[in-house]
Structure formats: C-alpha cells, structure tokens
Amino acid sequence: MLNNFETDSIFTPEQVLENRGRVAIFIDGSNLFYAALQLGIEIDYTKLLCRLTGGSRLLRSFFYTGVDRTNEKQQGFLLWMRRNGYRVIAKDLVQLPDGSKKANLDVEIAVDMMALVDSYDTAVLVSGDGDLAYAVNSVSYRGVRVEVVSLRSMTSDSLINVSDRYIDLEAIKEDIQKTPRQSYPYRPLSGIGFLEDPRTSDGHPEIQE
C-alpha cells in the first residue's frame, strides 16, 4: 500500500517547502494535455508555474512537446511559453504506420534531469510515464528530492514508488485551471491538430482526429 505523503508526512507543508531548496521543473507537455482533457479543464500555465514552484527558488522550468513546424497556432503558443517562464524543448512529430503522429521526449527529459542534477535540490516531474522511473531513481541517488505531479489514472505505480512525493492533478486542478473569462489563443498538442474553436458546445476541448 502506498503511503499518503500529503497526510502521513512527519513534516508540515511549510517545512516541506522550506526543505525543497532550488527547484527544477520538467513537464511532459503531451502527458499534461491529456490529463487536462480527462479532468475537463484547460491549463493556465502561469498558475501552473506558480503552483509547482510553490514559493521556492526556481532554477528552470522545462516544457517538452512534439511540434508540427507548419502549425502557426502551435508555434504561437510555444513562443508565448518561452516568453512566460518556460524553456521549451520541441521535437518534430513523427507519423506512425497507423497514420497517427507522436513525439516521444522521455530521453530528453531523462537527460536534462541528469545533466542538471548538481544544480537543483528538488525536481518536479509533471508526467505519469513509467519509462521515467529509472531516471527519477537515478537522480534520487544523487541526493535530489523528486516530486511527481500527474493524474492518478494515468500514472505508473513504478513512478510513484521511486518519488519522494506524489501529487494528483485532481487535487490541485482548481489552482491551475483557467477561469471562464480567460482566453489563451493557443494550446499545446502532441499528435492532434489545433482547431479554431478550442471548445465544443458541452464546454470540453474538442479533439481533431
């Protein structure tokens, strides 16, 4: 049975934040986007950065995403991200035999976590991908504290087991979602296209096949 780090910790929330030291954030853009779809929300990336930093000293916030270089709206979104606190690592989408497009950035995330391991005290990984468990375990052995943030239904147990703290996106969605009056013209997508109207009549993002 997994420990509930939020309730069973011997430290108060304030002490946890004090002990975080310098923070580096690693966001799997595709994983986060699909988690947001499951939650029925749109992410406010300014709020997200503030929530993940939590008042600690931020070294850098990385955002990893697959891109279609011909998609002007997506390029506009990534430009906005670069100008608002994120270091964007983009990789061209590759078309698979079934016609879908995908860009796997697990290697890039793992390499960056290891390359900067001596520069930060706490890593915040926004992903539920179990393929990153080995990298998380490796940086932990270097003395780094690792917090995993993701939607529980999309998160590998192996990733949670090697993390020091797990935060379910469901628990913080009110802190990171856009308010109804907010409107950003761009959204990050990996493997699916952008639409002129980002929401359908039922209020949920529409996916273009």
Side-chain angles (χ1 to χ4, degrees):
M1 183 176 179
L2 297 175
N3 289 326
N4 186 331
F5 294 107
E6 298 297 321
T7 59
D8 295 342
S9 174
I10 61 174
F11 299 105
T12 65
E14 291 76 17
Q15 288 173 320
V16 169
L17 291 178
E18 288 174 1
N19 292 334
R20 294 174 89 209
R22 202 168 191 189
V23 173
I25 299 171
F26 305 88
I27 301 174
D28 181 338
S30 177
N31 193 278
L32 177 60
F33 176 76
Y34 284 109
L37 283 181
Q38 291 291 322
L39 291 171
I41 66 172
E42 286 190 78
I43 302 293
D44 181 319
Y45 287 93
T46 300
K47 289 181 180 179
L48 177 67
L49 187 58
C50 292
R51 181 63 174 78
L52 297 180
T53 304
S56 299
R57 292 176 296 154
L58 178 64
L59 170 67
R60 187 158 291 162
S61 179
F62 296 94
F63 184 83
Y64 302 82
T65 185
V67 296
D68 176 357
R69 304 289 177 180
T70 65
N71 191 320
E72 293 184 2
K73 287 190 174 183
Q74 189 182 38
Q75 294 302 313
F77 167 79
L78 296 180
L79 178 61
W80 183 93
M81 292 288 279
R82 291 186 178 99
R83 293 178 175 177
N84 287 272
Y86 292 90
R87 177 65 60 88
V88 176
I89 291 84
K91 188 174 183 179
D92 289 342
L93 293 170
V94 176
Q95 186 160 345
L96 303 178
D98 63 1
S100 63
K101 292 183 178 181
K102 185 177 181 180
N104 192 323
L105 285 105
D106 291 346
V107 172
E108 287 79 359
I109 295 174
V111 168
D112 287 346
M113 289 182 74
M114 291 300 301
L116 293 170
V117 70
D118 293 325
S119 300
Y120 61 87
D121 303 296
T122 298
V124 180
L125 174 63
V126 183
S127 179
D129 194 337
D131 290 341
L132 292 168
Y134 189 81
V136 167
N137 206 35
S138 297
V139 298
S140 294
Y141 275 109
R142 296 288 298 272
V144 169
R145 170 188 172 86
V146 182
E147 301 175 2
V148 171
V149 182
S150 56
L151 187 61
R152 184 63 186 91
S153 62
M154 296 175 56
T155 307
S156 168
D157 287 342
S158 62
L159 189 58
I160 295 177
N161 291 341
V162 295
S163 68
D164 296 290
R165 186 187 188 200
Y166 172 72
I167 300 171
D168 191 342
L169 280 171
E170 176 78 41
I172 64 170
K173 69 177 184 178
E174 301 296 332
D175 299 332
I176 63 173
Q177 68 178 335
K178 294 180 187 177
T179 58
R181 292 186 178 182
Q182 287 178 304
S183 178
Y184 292 155
Y186 313 113
R187 295 180 297 142
L189 299 178
S190 178
I192 53 181
F194 282 82
L195 298 178
E196 290 294 330
D197 183 1
R199 307 192 75 84
T200 59
S201 59
D202 62 359
H204 294 285
E206 182 177 353
I207 300 177
Q208 177 175 325
E209 300 296 339

